[in-house]
Amino acid sequence: MLNKDIRDLVQYGMEAGLVPACEKNYTINLLLDLFHEDDYEEPAEECNTDLEEILKNLLDEAVKRNIIEDSIGYRDLFDTKIMNCLMPRPSQVQEKFWKEYEKSPETATDYFYKLSQDSDYIRRYRIKKDQKWTVESPYGTIDITINLSKPEKDPKAIAAAKNAKASAYPKCQLCMENEGYAGRLNHPARENHRIIPITINDSQWGFQYSPYVYYNEHCIVFNGQHVPMKIERNTFVKLFDFIKLFPHYFLGSNADLPIVGGSILSHDHFQGGHYTFAMAKAPMEEMVTIPGYEDVEAGIVKWPLSVLRIRSKDEKRLIDLASHVLDVWRGYTDEAAFVFAETDGEPHNTITPIARKKGDMYELDLTLRNNITTEEHPLGVYHPHAEYHHIKKENIGLIEVMGLAVLPARLKEEMELLASYLVEGKNPADNEMLEKHAAWVAEFAPKYENITEENVMDILREEVGQVFVHVLEDAGVYKCTEEGREAFKRFLAVL
């Protein structure tokens, strides 16, 4: 059986373009060594190149041979080691990438994205489990996802990670040193991971894809040095340096303050990709002229968060104007609109910026963020409010700002159970797992005359999606009301 799985994996590698035919024997020998096996005979049976199935068989064999323990953590570390036997060296990947780039930037990213999937760095068979749908809103079509591709940590791995020796290498999951790292139970294996070095703002950066691809060609662009995120003038320079290299991609940054920022504030990085979000499609509902920048198109975007869009053929004008907007916003207070630049010396105002190119125009969306908290809203005034925490409690970072909900995996099971309660007319408050949804269900259920097995999931998806729309409205500093627009214009007037 081992011989067959090794032969099938190597055949998969050759068909995917990971392994040249001349390296077939070499790759077989690398795999035999992993399994402490000295003998090999080419099997006669027909080939199977289903990667998920081959890896499962090989991992089962590794457990049987006591090479690894049987748990998700150990299996994930070992299957990455297996896939590394098929991988071209980083220099070969880089050379091929830039050769493809000579044809076009898009050809280069097509090659690299396919490699990242074929290598199982992006686990296609896990990503397929993610649930995705859309809902209509006053702001356009909003994307909803329930993320199921990150494996749940099993008890064995949690216990082992607690006892594992503390390590500061790599410093975080975004460091260059991750390329080829074997991993450990508290840090993912990255032996099948490749990074393309690029120059951004006259310094070395890395370009890679996210292993969890929340949308098409979800990429990460990260500083070659482990330095914290900071939104400043150079942020806008970096965004446009990347857009000039890859004009078919957008690139954005999380904010640099807790609550309104992303999950990794300790390492300067951006996220981008080949996808058009609802926010990018949203029109400018009111044009504005900013003194000294009359040559730059500017306007308030019809979007639940507070977004100023600026457009020009000259990206340097956008960099100058964005820096001006950021400087003014950092120090801006409007008590009537509950906007405070700082309280007790703690800064609150920052920006989530997103850059893209449309035709011959550069475009930059500046999303105004504020992370102030109150007794009523201890997690943030401009953060999902408590009434929506049963669906979404986590920070609204860059991806959500643009109109894609990344909802927690727990919702899959909760929605399935809730569906049966709705169809059977049972009260969710009677179930410990569902009681947090009871008030929400009581609010929306009367809208529907007939909830059946056939329509219940569609109803739940629609209602979950509408909750996310409200969550985005909560995150907006200036609401989409007459009063909110007046307050937004008060800020724009001081520019």
Side-chain angles (χ1 to χ4, degrees), residues 401-412:
V401 164
M402 296 184 291
L404 188 155
V406 182
L407 301 179
R410 63 171 171 83
L411 277 177
K412 178 181 180 286

Side-chain angles (χ1 to χ4, degrees), residues 177-217:
E177 292 82 4
N178 281 281
E179 189 176 40
Y181 186 60
R184 48 186 195 268
L185 285 171
N186 58 359
H187 191 104
R190 291 288 182 253
E191 286 164 297
N192 58 349
H193 174 40
R194 298 294 179 262
I195 295 167
I196 304 297
I198 57 175
T199 302
I200 297 285
N201 193 30
D202 299 323
S203 57
Q204 194 195 35
W205 281 60
F207 168 63
Q208 66 178 59
Y209 289 103
S210 162
Y212 305 113
V213 288
Y214 293 137
Y215 50 86
N216 186 48
E217 293 174 52

Side-chain angles (χ1 to χ4, degrees), residues 276-386:
T276 305
F277 287 87
M279 182 192 199
K281 297 175 194 169
M284 290 192 274
E285 67 176 28
E286 190 166 347
M287 304 304 289
V288 294
T289 303
I290 297 165
Y293 297 93
E294 290 82 1
D295 57 318
V296 176
E297 276 184 42
I300 295 171
V301 179
K302 187 183 178 186
W303 193 243
L305 285 97
S306 309
V307 184
L308 174 68
R309 177 170 295 159
I310 56 177
R311 305 179 80 236
S312 174
K313 288 181 182 177
D314 181 0
E315 83 283 358
K316 294 182 183 67
R317 293 295 286 153
L318 299 185
I319 291 165
D320 287 344
L321 176 50
S323 305
H324 173 56
V325 173
L326 176 65
D327 289 345
V328 175
W329 178 244
R330 289 274 193 206
Y332 183 76
T333 291
D334 179 352
E335 292 188 20
F338 206 77
V339 172
F340 296 88
E342 55 88 26
T343 52
D344 302 325
E346 184 194 335
H348 296 305
N349 289 350
T350 185
I351 279 176
T352 301
I354 300 109
R356 62 185 82 87
K357 194 172 188 197
K358 282 191 174 174
D360 60 353
M361 296 286 275
Y362 288 103
E363 197 168 272
L364 186 61
D365 284 349
L366 302 171
T367 313
L368 306 179
R369 312 298 302 274
N370 180 291
N371 76 345
I372 196 165
T373 59
T374 60
E375 275 186 30
E376 188 190 353
H377 301 293
L379 297 182
V381 172
Y382 306 110
H383 176 85
H385 288 178

Side-chain angles (χ1 to χ4, degrees), residues 55 74 81 99 161 187 297 328 343 355 404 414 461 482:
L55 288 176
Y74 288 106
K81 203 179 282 293
K99 198 170 272 185
H187 191 104
E297 276 184 42
V328 175
T343 52
L404 188 155
E414 289 172 16
R461 286 191 190 103
E482 199 177 325

Side-chain angles (χ1 to χ4, degrees), residues 138-292:
Y139 315 101
T141 304
I142 304 293
D143 289 306
I144 311 294
T145 66
I146 295 180
N147 174 38
L148 303 167
S149 51
K150 281 188 186 179
E152 298 290 328
K153 286 187 177 173
D154 57 85
K156 273 186 188 175
I158 293 167
K162 268 186 194 167
N163 301 324
K165 189 177 69 146
S167 172
Y169 179 86
K171 288 190 179 75
C172 79
Q173 290 185 28
L174 288 180
C175 284
M176 288 281 193
E177 292 82 4
N178 281 281
E179 189 176 40
Y181 186 60
R184 48 186 195 268
L185 285 171
N186 58 359
H187 191 104
R190 291 288 182 253
E191 286 164 297
N192 58 349
H193 174 40
R194 298 294 179 262
I195 295 167
I196 304 297
I198 57 175
T199 302
I200 297 285
N201 193 30
D202 299 323
S203 57
Q204 194 195 35
W205 281 60
F207 168 63
Q208 66 178 59
Y209 289 103
S210 162
Y212 305 113
V213 288
Y214 293 137
Y215 50 86
N216 186 48
E217 293 174 52
H218 177 182
C219 70
I220 299 172
V221 180
F222 59 99
N223 199 315
Q225 302 299 314
H226 183 73
V227 292
M229 283 181 63
K230 186 167 193 274
I231 303 294
E232 56 186 354
R233 181 188 177 83
N234 275 341
T235 302
F236 310 123
V237 174
K238 293 166 191 170
L239 287 172
F240 285 113
D241 275 359
F242 180 84
I243 295 297
K244 283 184 281 184
L245 272 175
F246 303 101
H248 58 299
Y249 275 15
F250 79 88
L251 195 68
S253 173
N254 269 306
D256 56 353
L257 292 177
I259 295 174
V260 294
S263 55
I264 303 177
L265 295 176
S266 61
H267 195 125
D268 191 13
H269 72 286
F270 302 102
Q271 293 180 80
H274 201 184
Y275 190 71
T276 305
F277 287 87
M279 182 192 199
K281 297 175 194 169
M284 290 192 274
E285 67 176 28
E286 190 166 347
M287 304 304 289
V288 294
T289 303
I290 297 165

